[in-house]
Amino acid sequence: ASCAMGANYSQCVKALQEAEEHDGPSVVICYAPCIEHRTKTGLSNMGNDMKAAVECGYWPLYRYDPNRVKLGEPPFQLDYKTTNGKVLDFLRNQNRYSQLERSNPED
């Protein structure tokens, strides 16, 4: 599963519950900004940063539950289907990426 608590709390909880209930190994990848991301909005707005990552398409929200096959349902569930496509705007809001862009403006 892939989740971002600040973008969709209920999807995150559901992904963790499904992972816990699965008989076998589970992997849940969570988007969790940290100080090293150096977002221009600061650490106090990390929930908004997570939401922006999902809305632009940088971080997809999905779950994969192989038990759904037994129910005749597809195991893969894409939980956020609409994106605004503003990935560059999102990346430019993080100093680590905007610094890279400034150091290589031609690329």
Side-chain angles (χ1 to χ4, degrees), residues 38 94-104:
R38 293 180 275 168
Q94 298 188 11
N95 284 329
R96 62 187 177 147
Y97 293 123
S98 60
Q99 183 179 14
L100 181 63
E101 185 178 45
R102 285 190 305 272
S103 68
N104 295 303

Side-chain angles (χ1 to χ4, degrees), residues 7 47-58 84 90:
N48 292 334
D49 187 60
M50 290 181 216
K51 187 175 180 184
V54 170
E55 287 177 347
C56 76
Y58 176 81
N84 61 25
F90 171 75

Side-chain angles (χ1 to χ4, degrees), residues 34-75:
C34 69
I35 197 165
E36 290 302 315
H37 287 190
R38 293 180 275 168
T39 60
K40 294 176 183 176
T41 56
L43 289 174
S44 62
N45 289 312
M46 288 299 105
N48 292 334
D49 187 60
M50 290 181 216
K51 187 175 180 184
V54 170
E55 287 177 347
C56 76
Y58 176 81
W59 192 261
L61 300 181
Y62 62 85
R63 291 172 291 131
Y64 184 88
D65 183 359
N67 294 323
R68 290 173 51 93
V69 173
K70 297 172 193 169
L71 303 171
E73 300 173 349

